[in-house]
Structure formats: structure tokens, C-alpha cells
Amino acid sequence: WCAENCPLSSATIKGTFVHATYHTAVEILEDRLLGVDTEGKIAFIGSGKEVDRLYYPKAHFVVIDVCSEFFMPGMVDTHIHASQYSYAGTALDMPLLQWLNMYTFPVEACYKDLEFARNVYTHVVKRTLRNGTTTACYFATIHTDASLLLGQIANDLGQRALVGKVCMDTNNFIPHYKETPDESELETNRFIGELLKKKYPLVRPVVTPRFAPSCSATLLGHLGEIAQNNDLHIQSHISETKEEVSLVKELFPDYDSYTDVYHRHNLLTDKTVMAHGCHLTDGELKLFRETGASIAHCPNSNISLCSGMLDVRRVLNHKVKLGLGTDVAGGYSPSMLDAVRRTLDTSKALTIQDTQYHTLTFEEVFRLATLGGSQALSLDENTGNFEVGKDFDALRVNTDAAGGPIDLINHGEGPKVESNLLASSGDDRNIVEVYVAGKRVVPFVERP
């Protein structure tokens, strides 16, 4: 229905579309026509009965199977370490801070080797796209050239991405894996300048202090100025473990809280996303809401490293923006469908502890994985759902895909869209096509 790896030039699709809106967690649009223009944007959404009025005469026309297929928005991974992908699923045998020293920093130091970086980064971008991640917010390493390479690979493979060169000037365990504050400022400016110069349509830089324990106040100040002067996104970690919170209090005794450390260095803005937040106080969540900063919930990592369980309901009640993240390799899966499942599991675990707890619904978590993630990254003007004018970032889901994990049983009335949607979260093999800005990026077309 379109040439390999090419835009959906004036395409019209007829079928079922499932998405979240700002008012409804899941909205199911059956027998609809959706038009995609030559820029990859959604041109119209109308009734399937309006073919004669809406169908572009020279457009590609597609009819998907109403019994087993639907389109949903691409998923948004608000926190993933591309540089840790090589050991995902291993090395989860100790708490966070020890895990960083023993495994993470030694591996990340290897990214000065650009061939090693190219190999890992190509694999992680391809894998996340195949898993339905159309937008990813990536941590790279302290190496500028390797971080630029990650941006290039995301662009070439067609993924929407925020890419961050990691900044850290404190590392007592692996002394060679750090920079001075001046080096980090200089290289961060070089990274931002060179990435912006490329004018990649879908890739943006994000200012990336690793987290407060690995950054001096001087470095945090530099990074806050850079982000402010260039109106850039910011990403980091916060309150992942109680041990980490205590360490920040020890390192920054003159600050009111972990959140206050970032806030007083101009690193808490409406373009900030902070990973984890398991142990934030009500006062800190209030500061998140006032500044417009968001939280990336990474349940797989939180459980795998025994960091804590984020009370998502509490965060949402504070009206703080929140999306989901895989947090590879603290999280062992690069699949956002896994993040959906683990979010539900964590919410149910909290319910086991407190029977009065208001458990998250599947529909709410679906929204967090799509529109919620785009809101958390301040990209919801461009993506997140099927609104006219937004880019067509979408997954074609076939619940009856060959070799898939689902057996559809017809009870006489045909399978319901709602049950298909629930079943589809069981396995990434149900995602048969992935589109970003109207371009099909999965299945992949290998370049010579």
C-alpha cells in the first residue's frame, strides 16, 4: 500500500483506530477514514461512509481487517539508556549505586570506541522500533562523538528521538569515566551545536546531567544555563532509591530536597523529564507541578533493582505529567508493552498492600504509554494520538498475526475491539507495521 520505506503520500486508511485523548483514556474509532498528507501529518478523520467525499483520487487506499486489526499511536519511551543495551537482562544482582559502579560505568566507558557504539546503538534503535517505540528519550554516554552517532542512527532508521550526551564530573569508582565541569560544558555545547546543525527532522538534543550524586553544583549550574539559553529539553534521575536520596542530602546539605537541587540550578522546567521519583515527597511533587516538570515511571527497573514502587495514582492526583520508560538496562526489557504490564503489576501490588488503593486501569496505562509519554516529553503538539494536524506515528496491530501468541476464538458475534486491544499487549509480534511521521519504518528496509 506504499512503496518501501517511503512516506504515505496522500494515503487514506479505512478501519479501526484506537487512541487516547486528553479527556478519554481509550477512544475506539470504528469504521473510520484517516487521511495522511504528503508531509506525514493526519489530514482528516471521518466516517467510513464518506469515502466518496474524503478519499484522495490519487491516494493509496488501504482497508484493514476490522475483526483482527487496528491502528494505535506509537508508544513513547520516556527513559532508556541506549548505552546499556548490550547487557540488558543481566547484572541485576545488586542495588542501584553498587550496580552503577560494578557494571554500568565500566561498560559506558567503552563508548569512546565508535565502532562499538555504532553496533550497540544500531541494535537498540532497531529493537525499540520493532517493539513499537516511535519516540525514545535516550541517555548516551559522556562521549560526544558517540552521542552524535546515536542521533544519526535514530534519524537514519526513522525514529523520533531526544538524545542526551551524559554529563558527570564526579565518579570515584571509575575515575577515567568523568569530565571536569569545564570539559563537560564545552562538550555539551559542541554536542548540541553539531546535532542541531544536522537539522534532523525527528531528532533533538536533551541536556543530560546523569544525576545529582555524579554532578557538582558547578556543573549543574552550567547545564541549567545551557538548557535555559537554548530552550532545550532536560533529563535526569531523581529519588530512585532511599540510599540515593540520603546521599544527595549528604552531598547537598544546603538544599531543601533532591528536587530543590535541580530547581535551584534551573533544571526543573516544563521541558524536564526526571526518571523514577519513587520517594518524592508531596512538597516535591508540588514543585514538579508548579514548574511543569514530568516523571518517567520505570516499573521494570524499579522492581529489578529493588529501588521502590512509584505510586502513579499519587503522582497523577498531584497533576504532575507522567509517562512510562523501559530504563534499559536497569529494566531488562526494551519493550514498552512490558512497561505497560509492569505498571499494572506495580499498581496491583500497591493494592495488595492497601485494599483501599485505587488501582490503575489498563485504559489509563495505555494513555500513559502513548499520549501521556508525549505530554511528559512536551511533544504532544506533534504526536501522541490521532488528532488532525499531528504526525502519523502509528502501529498497525494484528491480533491474528501469523506466529503470534494469540488465538482468536469466535463466539458467534466476532471478536470485540476491546478484547483485541487487551490481548495485543501480550506480545510485540502483533505489531506488524510501524510508522513515524507517515513513513513506514518497520518492517525495515536494509540499506546496501
Side-chain angles (χ1 to χ4, degrees), residues 61-181:
F61 188 69
V62 186
V63 180
I64 65 173
D65 188 333
V66 296
C67 290
S68 63
E69 290 189 301
F70 60 89
F71 274 94
M72 62 173 280
M75 289 178 284
V76 181
D77 191 339
T78 60
H79 183 70
I80 176 171
H81 292 262
S83 53
Q84 297 176 16
Y85 182 63
S86 64
Y87 62 94
T90 63
L92 298 175
D93 56 343
M94 54 184 61
L96 172 69
L97 298 181
Q98 293 91 317
W99 177 78
L100 289 171
N101 291 331
M102 184 63 68
Y103 299 112
T104 299
F105 295 151
V107 171
E108 290 191 10
C110 297
Y111 282 78
K112 61 184 177 183
D113 180 343
L114 290 182
E115 285 311 304
F116 176 75
R118 183 184 302 278
N119 182 35
V120 177
Y121 287 159
T122 299
H123 276 89
V124 70
V125 174
K126 281 190 170 185
R127 175 58 59 189
T128 53
L129 277 171
R130 182 66 190 85
N131 288 346
T133 300
T134 53
T135 299
C137 191
Y138 286 119
F139 272 63
T141 64
I142 68 171
H143 309 98
T144 302
D145 292 333
S147 302
L148 289 167
L149 182 60
L150 174 57
Q152 177 191 324
I153 290 168
N155 174 74
D156 290 348
L157 291 173
Q159 188 174 58
R160 191 183 304 275
L162 294 172
V163 177
K165 173 212 164 302
V166 171
C167 300
M168 51 189 290
D169 63 344
T170 302
N171 188 349
N172 296 327
F173 197 82
I174 308 291
H176 63 276
Y177 188 58
K178 65 179 180 181
E179 303 167 294
T180 68

Side-chain angles (χ1 to χ4, degrees), residues 47 59 91 96 101 153 166 170-171 269 292 314 316 326 339 347 358 438:
S47 168
L96 172 69
N101 291 331
I153 290 168
V166 171
T170 302
N171 188 349
T269 75
R314 175 169 166 261
L316 297 179
T326 60
S347 184
H358 186 190

Side-chain angles (χ1 to χ4, degrees), residues 47-358:
S47 168
K49 299 176 182 179
E50 298 181 277
V51 173
D52 293 340
R53 184 176 72 84
L54 294 176
Y55 172 54
Y56 296 162
K58 296 183 179 180
H60 300 287
F61 188 69
V62 186
V63 180
I64 65 173
D65 188 333
V66 296
C67 290
S68 63
E69 290 189 301
F70 60 89
F71 274 94
M72 62 173 280
M75 289 178 284
V76 181
D77 191 339
T78 60
H79 183 70
I80 176 171
H81 292 262
S83 53
Q84 297 176 16
Y85 182 63
S86 64
Y87 62 94
T90 63
L92 298 175
D93 56 343
M94 54 184 61
L96 172 69
L97 298 181
Q98 293 91 317
W99 177 78
L100 289 171
N101 291 331
M102 184 63 68
Y103 299 112
T104 299
F105 295 151
V107 171
E108 290 191 10
C110 297
Y111 282 78
K112 61 184 177 183
D113 180 343
L114 290 182
E115 285 311 304
F116 176 75
R118 183 184 302 278
N119 182 35
V120 177
Y121 287 159
T122 299
H123 276 89
V124 70
V125 174
K126 281 190 170 185
R127 175 58 59 189
T128 53
L129 277 171
R130 182 66 190 85
N131 288 346
T133 300
T134 53
T135 299
C137 191
Y138 286 119
F139 272 63
T141 64
I142 68 171
H143 309 98
T144 302
D145 292 333
S147 302
L148 289 167
L149 182 60
L150 174 57
Q152 177 191 324
I153 290 168
N155 174 74
D156 290 348
L157 291 173
Q159 188 174 58
R160 191 183 304 275
L162 294 172
V163 177
K165 173 212 164 302
V166 171
C167 300
M168 51 189 290
D169 63 344
T170 302
N171 188 349
N172 296 327
F173 197 82
I174 308 291
H176 63 276
Y177 188 58
K178 65 179 180 181
E179 303 167 294
T180 68
D182 288 342
E183 287 171 339
S184 190
E185 179 183 18
L186 181 66
E187 287 302 297
T188 297
N189 278 318
R190 181 167 78 88
F191 168 74
I192 293 166
E194 293 195 20
L195 190 63
L196 291 176
K197 194 184 302 181
K198 300 289 185 181
K199 295 184 178 179
Y200 296 140
L202 299 174
V203 180
R204 305 182 188 184
V206 49
V207 174
T208 307
R210 182 174 212 107
F211 66 159
S214 66
C215 298
S216 66
T218 300
L219 177 56
L220 292 174
H222 288 333
L223 298 177
E225 288 180 12
I226 291 171
Q228 192 173 49
N229 293 339
N230 296 279
D231 190 26
L232 294 177
H233 284 80
I234 300 162
Q235 64 176 346
S236 193
H237 303 82
I238 194 167
S239 296
E240 185 172 355
T241 71
K242 291 181 179 179
E243 181 186 10
E244 173 199 357
V245 174
S246 297
L247 179 59
V248 170
K249 189 176 294 185
E250 178 183 325
L251 294 172
F252 297 89
D254 297 329
Y255 294 79
D256 295 337
S257 65
Y258 200 158
T259 302
D260 188 46
V261 173
Y262 291 124
H263 185 230
R264 285 166 61 180
H265 291 101
N266 298 313
L267 290 167
L268 212 64
T269 75
D270 61 358
K271 287 189 174 182
T272 295
V273 57
M274 291 285 174
H276 305 295
C278 297
H279 307 287
L280 293 170
T281 66
D282 287 341
E284 289 177 288
L285 287 173
K286 180 181 179 182
L287 194 51
F288 266 75
R289 184 182 69 249
E290 290 172 349
T291 58
S294 63
I295 292 173
H297 176 38
C298 307
N300 188 315
S301 173
N302 293 341
I303 298 300
S304 295
L305 295 172
C306 297
S307 301
M309 293 190 292
L310 178 68
D311 184 341
V312 170
R313 181 69 67 196
R314 175 169 166 261
V315 173
L316 297 179
N317 287 342
H318 275 275
K319 295 182 170 50
V320 173
K321 295 182 297 181
L322 184 142
L324 306 184
T326 60
D327 194 25
V328 168
Y332 55 75
S333 172
S335 167
M336 280 295 294
L337 291 177
D338 174 84
V340 167
R341 291 191 288 271
R342 302 299 163 235
T343 297
L344 286 167
D345 289 347
T346 298
S347 184
K348 290 177 180 180
L350 292 172
T351 302
I352 292 171
Q353 295 178 350
D354 177 5
T355 57
Q356 302 303 309
Y357 185 73
H358 186 190

